[in-house]
Amino acid sequence: MNTAMQTAISILLVSPFPLALAQDASTEPQWIEFDAQAYAGYGYDSNVSVSEIDTNTGEGDSALYAKGKVKASITPHEKWQLNTSAQYALTEYNDYSVFNLAITTLSAEAVYKADWAKVALHHYSADAKLDDSDYLTYRQTGLSVGRAWQQKGYWRLSVDNISKIFVATPERDSDANALRSDVFWFNEAQAFWQFGFTFQQEDAQDNTFDYTSYLADVAYTTPLTWLHKDTEFTLSYHYETRDYAGAREGGIGRNDHRQRIKAVIDYPVSRHVDVMLSTQYGNYSSTTDSADYKETLAELGMKLYF
């Protein structure tokens, strides 16, 4: 699966918990803060593909990854905050250059910290180019409500409307509605669990691509000591089932079952530099041959904080 697009969409659907928790804390207004990150990495994908258009090569290739992100947070009052960000991500394959992917993502979020919960209105916009040609326009707008509980936990509920426009395959253009819930739980060792569930109904221009999706994921993040440094290790599992409304030739409908397991090590070299090591295995089962495959990914990279 093309992990760059997969990661971008995953980020849009669920933001990291540490950020959400930080925004729940009572802080004095600081008006405006900026931060920036940059990432460069090298990896191998055992099956170069683009899941959004049911395309896979069955062949592996190495790739270079690059990403840059800037963010601004404005806090005019302790109960109000506005977050904006811009991100550019690039994937360049060694042999399969026709699968090179560039994604520009813009986001905005208005947050109100009520006494009973944190309420946020968010909008995300992603524009993707495949082999330097316009490929996909992705828009997501939604409302979320979250609240800390039992001192160690946090829950969040989000409703979203999602729009996709495929430049080369307009029959795949779609609108979707999604409902997602998340629960986070910290233990005494500063490790935490994340449990998520998403229900989504997508309506495409061509009814063949209409589907109902149920997605469940779980992740565990824990601090480790490695080479005398406080290292972070995350293990996650993702399962999604898609039931397509459209009937294939011969009256056979389509059904997908997608599973991923991923491990990430985040090793801090210094205050401003982290080394990232990750591996992922995916098993994507489908009654459509082009969407039925397995893959293994491995990546080594460096992240810079400014």
Side-chain angles (χ1 to χ4, degrees):
M1 181 176 291
N2 197 308
T3 55
M5 174 58 72
Q6 181 186 84
T7 301
I9 292 178
S10 296
I11 291 172
L12 298 184
L13 290 173
V14 53
S15 60
F17 173 58
L19 174 61
L21 183 63
Q23 290 177 344
D24 263 10
S26 296
T27 57
E28 293 297 323
Q30 299 185 21
W31 284 102
I32 187 166
E33 293 183 332
F34 294 96
D35 66 64
Q37 299 178 11
Y39 174 85
Y42 179 81
Y44 182 80
D45 186 344
S46 68
N47 192 343
V48 180
S49 56
V50 181
S51 64
E52 288 293 325
I53 53 176
D54 300 328
T55 300
N56 81 91
T57 64
E59 301 289 338
D61 197 6
S62 58
L64 294 174
Y65 304 95
K67 184 186 298 182
K69 181 178 182 179
V70 293
K71 178 187 174 184
S73 296
I74 303 172
T75 311
H77 186 274
E78 64 179 11
K79 288 186 176 294
W80 289 95
Q81 188 172 59
L82 176 65
N83 302 308
T84 61
S85 68
Q87 177 176 286
Y88 180 77
L90 180 67
T91 301
E92 290 193 345
Y93 289 98
N94 184 43
D95 295 322
Y96 284 93
S97 59
V98 293
F99 288 88
N100 288 350
L101 184 66
I103 306 172
T104 301
T105 307
L106 304 175
S107 71
E109 180 187 44
V111 179
Y112 176 69
K113 302 170 188 176
D115 294 336
W116 57 276
K118 185 191 80 170
V119 182
L121 179 65
H122 53 261
H123 177 75
Y124 307 97
S125 173
D127 293 289
K129 290 182 178 290
L130 194 63
D131 193 24
D132 292 325
S133 298
D134 289 339
Y135 155 53
L136 172 64
T137 297
Y138 180 98
R139 303 287 185 265
Q140 178 179 335
T141 302
L143 178 70
S144 67
V145 177
R147 179 182 172 87
W149 61 290
Q150 297 293 322
Q151 296 183 330
K152 294 183 179 182
Y154 186 88
W155 62 264
R156 178 178 54 206
L157 184 66
S158 178
V159 291
D160 291 270
N161 178 261
I162 301 167
S163 171
K164 299 178 188 177
I165 299 175
F166 294 86
V167 176
T169 53
E171 66 274 12
R172 290 180 177 268
D173 292 355
S174 65
D175 287 300
N177 293 308
L179 174 66
R180 180 173 177 91
S181 62
D182 290 282
V183 174
F184 306 85
W185 186 260
F186 276 84
N187 64 26
E188 295 179 357
Q190 294 186 333
F192 70 91
W193 289 89
Q194 175 188 345
F195 304 91
F197 178 80
T198 303
F199 171 75
Q200 180 170 320
Q201 285 189 319
E202 186 157 312
D203 182 18
Q205 289 294 317
D206 185 338
N207 291 339
T208 300
F209 301 108
D210 292 353
Y211 69 83
T212 299
S213 168
Y214 298 91
L215 184 155
D217 50 73
V218 59
Y220 179 67
T221 300
T222 184
L224 301 173
T225 300
W226 188 38
L227 300 178
H228 308 291
K229 293 281 190 177
D230 292 331
T231 305
E232 186 177 83
F233 173 74
T234 300
L235 183 65
S236 60
Y237 174 75
H238 167 109
Y239 175 80
E240 180 184 10
T241 178
R242 291 185 177 185
D243 182 15
Y244 285 80
R248 293 297 187 184
E249 195 172 68
I252 300 175
R254 173 179 171 180
N255 191 266
D256 290 2
H257 298 276
R258 305 180 176 193
Q259 300 182 72
R260 296 195 306 271
I261 185 169
K262 184 176 183 178
V264 180
I265 295 175
D266 186 339
Y267 179 78
V269 177
S270 69
R271 179 182 177 185
H272 299 287
V273 180
D274 284 5
V275 171
M276 312 285 292
L277 177 63
S278 66
T279 184
Q280 176 178 293
Y281 172 75
N283 186 341
Y284 308 97
S285 174
S286 175
T287 52
T288 297
D289 289 343
S290 59
D292 185 74
Y293 61 94
K294 297 179 178 66
E295 70 165 354
T296 301
L297 303 122
E299 184 176 343
L300 176 65
M302 181 175 293
K303 182 185 290 186
L304 304 177
Y305 300 89
F306 302 98

